[in-house]
Amino acid sequence: MKGMTIIVKKTAQLIAGMIFMYGIYVIVHGHLTPGGGFAGGVIMAGSLILVILSHGTDFFSLVKEEMGTTIVESAATICVILIATAGFLFGTKVFFNNFLPKGNVGDLVSAGVLPLYNIFVGIEVAASVFIIFLSLIIFKEESPK
Amino acid sequence: MKYITLFILSFIFWLLLTFDFSVSNLIVGVVASIITALFFGKFFITNVYKLLQPRRYFWFIVYLFIFIWECLKANLDVAYRVLHPAMPIRPGIVKVKTTLKSDMAKMLLANSITMTPGTISVDIIDDYLYIHWIYIRSEDPEVYTPIIIGAFEKYIKRIIE
Amino acid sequence: MEVAISIITGLMILGALFAIHAKDLLSAVIACGIVGYGLVICFLLLKAPDLAIVQIVVDTITLIMMVAVVLDSSREESFSRLDTFGKIAAATGLIIIVVLFYFFIIASSNLDVLGKSSLRMANAYIHGAAQKTGSANLVTGVVFDFRGYDTMGEAVVLVTAVLGVLTILRLKGKK
Amino acid sequence: MIAYYMCFGLFFVGLYGVITRRNLVKIAISLSIMEISTFLFFALIGYIDNGVAPIVNPADPDKIYVDPLPQTLVLTAIVIGLATTALLMAVIIRLYRKYKTFDIREINELRG
C-alpha cells in the first residue's frame, strides 16, 4: 500500500504520538472524567490507523503486525475475565467483585479494580478495531484487480 | 535520540492534559510516555537536535505574528470578494517553485498556505507546490511566486533549516 | 432543549433521506456521516459526554471502513425500473411502516414527557454508586461493577466479530 | 414529545431504506441509521431537566444527575454496532469480489 504526500506524512509524524497519549489519558482517567476503556481504545486505534494510512507499508510487515495484534487482543480479553474470576475468589463469592480497597472518590488511584478493567478493555477495543482495519487492507493487497 | 525526545514531549503533553502533580499521576505519566515512545519513536522526526537551539523558537514567535498579519489581510481580501456584488473571482491552480529543502519546512509552508484564506495547497511534488488560488493575479511565475510564499519562506528557512 | 434536539434530529432525517436516495455511493456514505455527527451533538445536549466521545470516534472509523469498501468498486448504484415484484415489496414496506407508526402513537401515551422521566433503578444508582464503587464517573461505575456481565459479553462479542471478519476476508476464493 | 416523534421518524427512514433499496451498501447505511435512532431514543429517556452529566463531585452532593443506566446500555451498544458494521462490510466486500456487483437481485440471479 502506498503512502500519502509529504504534508500528510510529516503532520502524522508530529501528531500521532500525541493522539496515542490522549487515548491513554482518556483510559487512565476513565473513572474520574468522561471517557473510559471504549472511547480511549478507539482513539488509540485511530492513531495507529493514521500512521498506517499516511506512511504506507508493505504486505509482509502488515501480516506480521496483524498476528501480533491478534495475540494482544486475546490476551487482553483473557485478562478481563481473569480479574472477574479473581473477584470471585476473594471476599464474598460474587463474580465481578470489587476486591481492592476503594480509596477516596476523585483520586487517581481509587475505585478498586475499575481502572484495571478500563485498561484491559481499552487494549482489547484498540486491538480489535486495528485488526479489522488491517484485515481490510491485507485483503485488498492479497487479491489484485 | 528521537525516542528520548518523543518521551520528553509526550510527558510535557501529559502534564498539560492533567495538570496534577501528585506522585501517582507522575508515575502513570512516565509509564504512558515510555509506551508512546516505544510505539511511535520509529516514525518521529529525525533531526531532533534542532529542537535544542533557542534562536529557532525566537524566529517561530516572530513567524506567528507575521502569519497572523498575513491571515488578517487575506481574510479581508476574501471577504471583499464574497461581498462584492459582481464576485470578482478567477480560480485556478498555479505551480510554485520553493527554495526550501527539508520535508518539515515544506510541510510547514504548505500548512501555512492552506490556513491562509483564499489559497489551498493541493500537492507537493519534489520542489513544486501546486496551489489552488481564488484570484489569479497574473500567469507569470516571476510575479506570483513572491505574492504567495514570499512572506513565509524566509522565516520558515530560519526556523527549520 | 426539546426544540434544539428536534431541529438537530430533523437535520439528521434530511441527511438520512439524502443518503438513501443519492446516486453516487461515496456521497451516500458521507451523508451517512451527517447522521452520526448529528447524534454527537444530541448526546452533548443531553448531558452524556461519555457517549459523545465514543460516538465521534466510532463514527469516524465507520466512515473510513465504508469509504474503503466503496472506493475500490464501481461506486454507482444501478437504477432500473421497478418490476412487479419490486412494486409489491415497496407497497408492503409502506404498509408495515404505517402500521408500526400507528402502534407507536398508541404506545407513546405511556412515555413520560422529555426531561421529567425517572427510571426506578436510576435513584438507587445515583445515590449508591459513588460510595459503593468509589468511582466518580457513574457511567464507568455502572458499566464495570453493577453491569459487569454486560461488559464481559460485549468483549466476547467483539472478539467473535473480529474472528468473523478475519475468517471471511482471509478465505481464498474458489477458482 | 416532538423529540420522540422525530426520533421514531429517523427509525422509519432507516426502515424504508432497508425495505426499498437493493444496493448492499445502501442497506448497510440504512441499518446504521436505524441503530443511531435507537441510541438517540435511549439517551432521550435518560434525560432529566436541569440535570448535570453523571460525574460525582464529592464536595457538592446535592445535584440532580442525568440517569446513568441508559447511557451505560448505549455505551456497550455503540461498540457492538461498530463490530457488526465491520462484519457486514466484510461480507459485502467478499460478495463484491465474487459477483462484481452490489445489487442483491443480480446476486440472487447469478448464484449457483
Side-chain angles (χ1 to χ4, degrees):
Chain A
M1 170 179 180
K2 276 196 313 190
M4 296 185 185
T5 57
I6 294 172
I7 310 172
V8 186
K9 252 183 211 172
K10 289 288 161 180
T11 317
Q13 282 184 351
L14 280 179
I15 297 296
M18 300 302 141
I19 296 175
F20 193 78
M21 200 72 193
Y22 184 69
I24 293 179
Y25 161 75
V26 168
I27 289 178
V28 173
H29 284 238
H31 55 295
L32 305 176
T33 51
F38 300 108
V42 187
I43 293 174
M44 279 160 72
S47 73
L48 294 169
I49 289 175
L50 172 66
V51 169
I52 295 272
L53 271 185
S54 63
H55 283 254
T57 38
D58 58 332
F59 179 66
F60 291 105
S61 64
L62 275 179
V63 172
K64 216 170 63 186
E65 208 152 338
E66 189 223 327
M67 286 170 68
T69 323
T70 319
I71 293 168
V72 168
E73 192 214 3
S74 319
T77 316
I78 289 175
C79 279
V80 170
I81 298 174
L82 273 187
I83 296 174
T85 323
F88 188 74
L89 295 179
F90 293 100
T92 50
K93 302 288 186 233
V94 183
F95 216 40
F96 283 97
N97 184 19
N98 197 344
F99 58 89
L100 290 178
K102 309 241 170 33
N104 296 325
V105 175
D107 285 357
L108 180 60
V109 181
S110 69
V113 289
L114 295 194
L116 291 178
Y117 282 136
N118 256 335
I119 290 170
F120 286 120
V121 167
I123 293 173
E124 195 232 334
V125 171
S128 37
V129 173
F130 192 49
I131 289 175
I132 291 169
F133 175 76
L134 278 183
S135 56
L136 276 178
I137 294 184
I138 288 175
F139 178 70
K140 208 177 279 186
E141 299 269 309
E142 203 170 51
S143 53
K145 303 203 174 75
Chain B
M1 186 65 199
K2 51 186 185 179
Y3 287 81
I4 296 169
T5 319
L6 183 57
F7 170 74
I8 293 168
L9 276 181
S10 44
F11 191 63
I12 292 172
F13 186 64
W14 174 266
L15 289 182
L16 287 176
L17 271 178
T18 56
F19 221 78
D20 172 13
F21 298 100
S22 61
V23 178
S24 56
N25 190 34
L26 291 184
I27 293 173
V28 174
V30 168
V31 173
S33 311
I34 289 174
I35 294 172
T36 311
L38 285 181
F39 266 90
F40 291 95
K42 198 168 59 175
F43 300 106
F44 202 61
I45 50 176
T46 42
N47 295 326
V48 286
Y49 65 90
K50 284 177 183 170
L51 284 169
L52 297 175
Q53 296 168 345
R55 62 185 171 84
R56 295 185 192 274
Y57 293 101
F58 169 72
W59 284 115
F60 185 68
I61 293 168
V62 173
Y63 172 73
L64 276 186
F65 284 105
I66 301 280
F67 175 70
I68 291 171
W69 172 242
E70 290 290 325
C71 206
L72 272 178
K73 276 201 301 189
N75 260 313
L76 291 177
D77 184 59
V78 174
Y80 162 75
R81 290 192 197 287
V82 172
L83 293 176
H84 196 280
M87 268 256 236
I89 58 172
R90 194 177 160 214
I93 293 183
V94 293
K95 182 178 171 187
V96 180
K97 188 177 188 334
T98 172
T99 55
L100 295 171
K101 285 291 173 288
S102 80
D103 288 349
M104 208 68 202
K106 282 179 200 162
M107 186 275 282
L108 188 55
L109 178 64
N111 274 338
S112 305
I113 288 170
T114 304
M115 283 177 72
T116 324
T119 46
I120 290 176
S121 49
V122 180
D123 203 352
I124 299 180
I125 294 172
D126 296 334
D127 274 350
Y128 292 97
L129 279 86
Y130 292 82
I131 291 169
H132 181 271
W133 204 5
I134 197 172
Y135 185 80
I136 296 178
R137 306 242 174 99
S138 81
E139 289 171 9
D140 183 16
E142 298 289 322
V143 181
Y144 65 65
T145 306
I147 297 176
I148 297 179
I149 62 171
F152 301 130
E153 205 172 22
K154 55 181 185 235
Y155 291 100
I156 290 177
K157 192 171 274 181
R158 281 178 188 148
I159 292 172
I160 289 183
E161 288 181 358
Chain C
M1 179 56 67
E2 185 150 14
V3 177
I5 288 181
S6 306
I7 291 171
I8 294 169
T9 320
L11 288 178
M12 283 159 68
I13 289 178
L14 286 183
L17 280 175
F18 181 77
I20 289 175
H21 283 285
K23 281 210 175 57
D24 188 15
L25 282 182
L26 191 60
S27 50
V29 167
I30 289 168
C32 183
I34 295 174
V35 187
Y37 291 121
L39 183 66
V40 175
I41 301 172
C42 283
F43 279 156
L44 283 179
L45 286 176
L46 292 169
K47 305 287 163 53
D50 301 79
L51 301 183
I53 295 177
V54 178
Q55 175 65 29
I56 198 168
V57 198
V58 164
D59 201 68
T60 311
I61 290 187
T62 314
L63 270 186
I64 292 178
M65 281 191 314
M66 286 191 175
V67 168
V69 170
V70 166
L71 267 189
D72 64 336
S73 66
S74 62
R75 271 178 59 177
E76 273 173 27
E77 185 179 7
S78 55
F79 275 101
S80 54
R81 295 291 299 264
L82 281 178
D83 50 356
T84 339
F85 183 74
K87 276 176 190 162
I88 293 172
T92 322
L94 280 177
I95 290 172
I96 289 174
I97 286 176
V98 169
V99 170
L100 275 179
F101 201 73
Y102 173 68
F103 282 134
F104 164 67
I105 288 174
I106 292 176
S108 67
S109 60
N110 290 330
L111 281 174
D112 293 327
V113 182
L114 179 65
K116 297 284 186 291
S117 61
S118 168
L119 299 184
R120 246 186 316 145
M121 285 308 284
N123 289 322
Y125 281 149
I126 287 171
H127 294 302
Q131 273 70 41
K132 277 184 187 156
T133 64
S135 152
N137 189 350
L138 290 181
V139 173
T140 305
V142 177
V143 161
F144 290 112
D145 201 304
F146 298 119
R147 299 243 159 194
Y149 284 109
D150 271 12
T151 312
M152 195 182 73
E154 185 269 346
V156 174
V157 166
L158 207 54
V159 173
T160 319
V162 166
L163 284 181
V165 170
L166 285 179
T167 323
I168 291 170
L169 287 187
R170 301 301 292 283
L171 205 71
K172 296 274 186 208
K174 279 182 194 167
K175 291 281 161 20
Chain D
M1 231 42 216
I2 309 171
Y4 286 118
Y5 283 104
M6 296 297 263
C7 178
F8 272 78
L10 192 61
F11 182 84
F12 288 134
V13 170
L15 191 60
Y16 165 76
V18 170
I19 292 173
T20 56
R21 296 294 107 175
R22 300 195 323 218
N23 191 312
L24 279 169
V25 177
K26 289 278 180 72
I27 290 176
I29 289 172
S30 312
L31 280 176
S32 90
I33 287 169
M34 283 165 77
E35 221 174 64
I36 279 173
S37 78
T38 320
F39 300 157
L40 180 58
F41 179 68
F42 270 84
L44 283 174
I45 284 182
Y47 180 70
I48 294 171
D49 273 341
N50 301 320
V52 294
I55 291 161
V56 173
N57 186 3
D60 180 17
D62 297 327
K63 271 184 192 162
I64 307 171
Y65 293 109
V66 171
D67 191 353
L69 181 58
Q71 297 195 11
T72 308
L73 299 178
V74 174
L75 189 62
T76 45
I78 289 177
V79 181
I80 291 180
L82 174 66
T84 49
T85 311
L87 199 56
L88 196 56
M89 282 299 151
V91 174
I92 289 174
I93 203 172
R94 177 52 83 176
L95 280 176
Y96 184 79
R97 283 291 154 80
K98 184 154 188 197
Y99 295 112
K100 301 289 169 207
T101 176
F102 279 137
D103 198 324
I104 45 175
R105 194 76 55 78
E106 284 178 36
I107 290 175
N108 245 342
E109 282 162 8
L110 288 172
R111 197 184 55 202

